[in-house]
């Protein structure tokens, strides 16, 4: 199995690399453009993929990935399933602060609430943060990019006194024990 | 002008949109220059219709002139109503050498032999297509002009496109066409849609096709987006492959606008979890219908974005490869 390993390569100087994984390949392009534009002090490289495992041909040229973001569109069950199957191809070392989940359409009425619950449970079991984003407006994309950059810089070790593991204990998703009985009155 | 002619003209005026009215009346050329100038196109349409009626009465115009006007309008705007494609089979030796006057004579003679009261108008369009308008009557009544049939045929091709024909008149029309074009029979091409140009392009393969190559190079993008060197796609090859396969199956560029694809299933039910329905002798009948404003465009996008699995299933690609959009699927194949 070709696992993606977090520490098998050397880091670059003042560089942070983020991998955006999205089944639909729509939001990741907009997010990538915004992330690269927003960040001026650090050299940010964005890699886009549809799912894991990543092709072997790029193995040599691929830099060390500091943060893997799974973009899940709650309107599609396939999006969630594709993210779940991709998780198997990540080395367990990533789950200490180098993985993040990003969901869209969390406020959409037509989305079954069970899906968000399953994503939350998944994120909580892996100790990863869960971000909600709005992908239709530029402000939504900018906000999401901003938050991802904050997590990315910590995960890449560019923020003094903070590590990914430390940040993830603060930001990781938690699920209240009565979430299955929750109804939003 | 009698009542039915007046009604025909009024109906026609209601159909023609105001922007096109002047050009179409110009093309018609049955009104003199002064008459045309006297029509004020800024008035509301009903006023214009009254004025036009009066002018036609003055000039003694009859039904055949009004039907000519209708034909001009339909030729300019063919993409309305439901068009059906037909294919002529088994050409005889002199079929490729049929030319216009011969076809016209033969068709008119054949059809009037079959039904005595028909009104036929044949016109050749600039793009080599022959347009035929038929208004049907029967042995006792005059032709009914409010529900005409239009036929389009390109000489030397085995394709015919028809709209507005009832099942009663279809065999008569078929016979007249087959005899006039010197083929031995005509079959349904199972292709229908609202857009005549789309159906014609699909049957005659006049859209931009993509052929499989041994050494694929990525399809040139129309407006190459300047690539940011910091952003890189991991699975770019997969994306290109999908796009290539989608275009091979459906074509490149603007695709003919089909609205529907219908698959009639006559296959046995096969699902191991459902014991009551599986294992029955009779086929489980069902109909699957795909509908869209531009079906081929939607299907191509489904394949290139990965929603539909590649390689493209022959069920979908036969829409373009065979030029049909109605399929009956049995257990032995399409």
């Amino acid at each position: 199995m070709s696992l993606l390993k977090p520490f098998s390569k050397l880091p670059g100087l003042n560089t942070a690399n983020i991998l955006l994984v999205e089944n639909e390949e729509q939001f990741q392009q907009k997010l990538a453009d915004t992330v690269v534009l927003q960040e001026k002090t650090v050299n940010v490289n964005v890699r886009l993929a549809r799912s894991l495992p990543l092709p072997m041909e790029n193995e040599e040229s691929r830099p060390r990935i500091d943060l893997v973001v799974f973009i899940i569109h709650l309107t599609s069950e396939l999006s969630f399933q594709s993210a779940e199957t991709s998780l198997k191809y990540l080395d367990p070392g990533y789950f200490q602060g180098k993985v993040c989940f990003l969901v869209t359409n969390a406020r959409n009425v037509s989305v079954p609430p069970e899906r968000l619950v399953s994503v939350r449970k998944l994120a909580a079991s892996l100790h990863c943060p869960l971000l909600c984003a709005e992908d239709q407006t530029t402000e939504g994309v900018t906000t999401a990019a901003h938050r991802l950059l904050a997590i990315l810089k910590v995960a890449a070790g560019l923020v003094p006194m903070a590590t990914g593991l430390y940040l993830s204990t603060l930001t990781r998703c938690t699920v209240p024990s009565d979430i299955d009985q929750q109804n939003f009155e | 002008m009698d009542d039915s002619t007046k009604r025909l003209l009024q109906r026609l005026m209601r159909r023609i949109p105001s922007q096109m009215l002047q050009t179409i009346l110009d093309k018609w050329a049955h009104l003199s220059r002064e008459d045309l100038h006297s029509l004020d196109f800024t008035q509301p349409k009903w006023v214009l219709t009254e004025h036009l009626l009066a002018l036609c009465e003055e000039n003694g115009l009859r039904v055949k002139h009004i039907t000519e006007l209708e034909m001009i309008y339909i030729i300019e705007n063919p993409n309305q109503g439901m068009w059906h494609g037909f294919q002529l089979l088994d050409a005889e030796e002199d079929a490729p050498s049929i030319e216009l006057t011969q076809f016209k004579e033969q068709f008119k003679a054949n059809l009037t032999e079959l039904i005595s009261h028909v009104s036929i108008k044949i016109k050749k369009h600039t793009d080599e297509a022959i347009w035929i308008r038929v208004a049907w009557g029967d042995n006792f009544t005059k032709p009914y002009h409010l529900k005409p049939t239009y036929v389009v045929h390109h000489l030397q091709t085995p394709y015919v496109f028809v709209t507005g024909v009832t099942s009663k008149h279809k065999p008569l029309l078929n016979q007249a066409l087959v005899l006039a074009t010197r083929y031995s029979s005509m079959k349904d091409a199972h292709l229908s849609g609202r857009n005549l140009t789309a159906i014609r392009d699909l049957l005659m393969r006049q859209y931009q096709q993509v052929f499989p190559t041994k050494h694929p190079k990525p399809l040139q993008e129309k407006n190459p987006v300047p690539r940011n060197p910091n952003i890189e796609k991991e699975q770019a090859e997969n994306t290109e492959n999908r796009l290539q396969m989608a275009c091979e199956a459906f074509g490149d560029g603007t695709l003919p606008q089909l609205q529907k694809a219908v698959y009639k299933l006559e296959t046995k039910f096969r699902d191991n979890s459902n014991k009551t329905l599986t294992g029955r002798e009779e086929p489980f009948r069902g109909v699957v219908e795909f509908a869209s404003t531009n079906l081929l465009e939607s299907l191509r996008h489904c394949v290139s974005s990965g929603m539909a699995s590649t390689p493209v299933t022959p069920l979908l690609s036969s829409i373009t490869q065979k030029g049909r959009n109605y399929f009956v699927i049995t257990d032995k194949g399409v």
Side-chain angles (χ1 to χ4, degrees):
Chain A
M1 283 238 282
S2 49
L3 293 178
L4 190 63
K5 295 192 164 42
F7 299 113
S8 54
K9 297 189 186 180
L10 292 175
L13 199 58
N14 204 32
T15 311
N17 305 304
I18 184 171
L19 172 67
L20 299 176
V21 180
E22 180 193 357
N23 192 40
E24 286 78 17
E25 295 180 310
Q26 303 283 351
F27 187 30
Q28 59 182 194
Q29 188 60 51
K30 282 194 273 187
L31 206 49
D33 293 330
T34 319
V35 160
V36 166
L37 274 173
Q38 255 191 23
E39 187 47 60
K40 311 278 190 257
T41 49
V42 175
N43 195 23
V44 176
N45 290 321
V46 184
R47 314 283 287 196
L48 305 176
R50 192 156 183 250
S51 61
L52 298 173
L54 297 178
M56 292 301 292
E57 301 83 54
N58 300 347
E59 188 65 43
E60 293 302 317
S61 59
R62 192 182 307 135
R64 180 171 107 153
I65 303 286
D66 297 306
L67 181 65
V68 180
V69 182
F70 289 95
I71 301 179
I72 299 178
H73 294 279
L74 288 177
T75 41
S76 150
E77 182 68 30
L78 191 57
S79 198
F80 178 43
Q81 284 171 350
S82 163
E84 263 188 312
T85 39
S86 301
L87 280 171
K88 300 193 194 79
Y89 294 95
L90 274 187
D91 185 87
Y94 266 107
F95 294 104
Q96 292 170 335
K98 287 178 182 286
V99 173
C100 173
F101 287 90
L102 185 71
V103 293
T104 63
N105 297 106
R107 288 184 292 191
N108 194 323
V109 191
S110 56
V111 164
E114 298 78 41
R115 208 170 282 159
L116 180 57
V117 170
S118 334
V119 177
R120 279 181 80 178
K121 284 188 180 167
L122 180 65
S125 66
L126 296 169
H127 300 283
C128 299
L130 174 69
L131 299 179
C132 294
E134 197 264 285
D135 60 339
Q136 303 293 328
T137 62
T138 40
E139 295 90 43
V141 179
T142 325
T143 317
H146 197 73
R147 297 169 80 190
L148 282 182
L149 273 171
I151 304 181
L152 174 65
K153 282 197 266 200
V154 173
L158 297 166
V159 176
M161 308 293 244
T163 65
L165 187 56
Y166 178 56
L167 186 64
S168 74
T169 56
L170 297 175
T171 58
R172 69 189 178 98
C173 185
T174 50
V175 166
S177 50
D178 63 347
I179 193 166
D180 287 315
Q181 289 91 43
Q182 213 174 56
N183 38 16
F184 306 94
E185 291 295 338
Chain B
M1 282 214 305
D2 59 357
D3 275 337
S4 58
T5 321
K6 281 202 199 135
R7 231 179 311 137
L8 182 61
L9 182 59
Q10 281 165 339
R11 273 254 202 121
L12 187 57
M13 287 296 286
R14 250 180 272 151
R15 265 179 97 176
I16 304 182
S18 320
Q19 311 96 299
M20 298 186 197
L21 208 46
Q22 188 156 15
T23 34
I24 294 192
L25 285 174
D26 279 338
K27 282 213 181 99
W28 192 33
H30 278 286
L31 295 174
S32 63
R33 187 72 48 102
E34 304 83 49
D35 281 341
L36 264 179
H37 278 309
S38 71
L39 283 171
D40 183 3
F41 288 98
T42 55
Q43 285 176 320
K45 224 201 252 188
W46 62 274
V47 175
L48 207 52
T49 313
E50 301 283 309
H51 201 166
L52 191 61
L53 257 172
L55 280 175
C56 292
E57 293 249 17
E58 261 177 45
N59 290 334
L61 295 180
R62 314 258 289 291
V63 166
K64 62 176 188 179
H65 302 110
I66 311 291
T67 54
E68 216 182 284
L69 183 63
E70 186 192 271
M71 204 159 166
I72 294 177
Y73 168 60
I74 299 283
I75 295 182
E76 290 290 308
N77 304 283
N79 298 332
Q80 42 187 307
M82 201 52 138
W83 288 91
H84 302 270
F86 291 90
Q87 185 163 1
L88 295 160
L89 301 170
D90 300 324
E92 291 171 30
E93 301 88 41
D94 50 351
S97 61
I98 298 276
E99 38 94 45
L100 183 59
T101 33
Q102 194 180 352
F103 174 78
K104 269 162 104 163
E105 278 167 19
Q106 283 284 313
F107 182 75
K108 283 192 180 160
N110 288 326
L111 202 53
T112 39
E113 220 177 276
L114 292 170
I115 271 198
S116 36
H117 287 137
V118 255
S119 150
I120 308 177
K121 245 188 178 37
I122 304 190
K123 204 172 166 130
K124 182 154 188 198
H125 194 43
T126 44
D127 67 350
E128 302 304 310
I130 302 182
W131 280 75
I132 308 175
R133 178 187 190 276
V134 183
W136 305 90
D138 60 25
N139 292 325
F140 306 105
T141 52
K142 285 197 342 194
Y144 185 57
H145 282 282
L146 293 176
K147 283 198 162 66
T149 301
Y150 279 93
V151 179
V152 180
H153 175 53
H154 289 256
L155 278 178
Q156 277 91 41
T157 65
Y159 303 113
V160 176
F161 308 98
V162 184
T163 180
V165 69
T166 58
S167 42
K168 189 167 86 160
H169 298 132
K170 210 198 282 196
L172 306 169
L173 186 64
N174 283 11
Q175 192 170 345
L177 279 167
V178 163
L179 287 172
T181 53
R182 309 287 287 142
Y183 278 78
S184 72
S185 62
M186 187 156 106
K187 75 161 192 187
D188 196 345
H190 292 299
L191 180 64
S192 57
R194 301 185 71 88
N195 201 315
L196 174 65
T197 32
I199 301 199
R200 192 196 59 205
D201 287 343
L202 198 60
L203 262 185
M204 306 218 273
R205 304 291 209 125
Q206 279 174 354
Y207 56 97
Q208 200 175 343
Q209 298 175 66
V210 174
F211 298 99
T213 60
K214 269 270 184 216
H215 302 285
K217 55 181 202 296
L219 288 175
Q220 298 287 20
E221 288 181 38
K222 308 276 185 258
N223 306 309
V225 179
R227 297 283 194 84
N228 193 322
N230 286 17
I231 305 177
E232 202 179 304
K233 287 194 171 173
E234 287 280 341
Q235 289 147 337
E237 204 187 296
N238 274 8
T239 320
E240 277 162 17
N241 277 355
R242 283 203 305 264
L243 185 57
Q244 175 75 12
M245 282 202 257
C247 288
E248 271 175 35
F250 299 109
D252 198 13
T254 336
L255 295 175
Q257 230 178 359
L258 272 188
Q259 286 81 33
K260 265 198 209 176
V262 177
Y263 295 86
K264 199 155 155 227
L265 300 173
E266 282 174 11
T267 47
K268 293 218 191 115
F269 192 86
R270 271 188 285 266
D271 181 10
N272 288 328
S273 57
N274 191 332
K275 291 296 174 205
T276 38
L277 285 173
T278 324
R280 285 215 181 153
E281 275 312 307
E282 345 51 85
F284 182 78
R285 293 174 198 276
V287 175
V288 178
E289 188 181 290
F290 292 92
S292 162
T293 40
N294 191 337
L295 184 68
L296 292 177
E297 183 72 51
S298 324
L299 288 174
R300 186 177 65 178
H301 181 255
C302 276
V303 175
S304 66
S305 68
M307 276 190 256
S309 55
T310 46
V312 186
T313 159
L315 289 171
L316 287 177
S317 59
S318 22
I319 300 178
T320 42
Q321 304 306 320
K322 294 192 188 167
R324 358 174 356 172
N325 66 353
Y326 175 78
F327 300 91
V328 177
I329 304 183
T330 54
D331 275 319
K332 291 186 213 59
V334 178

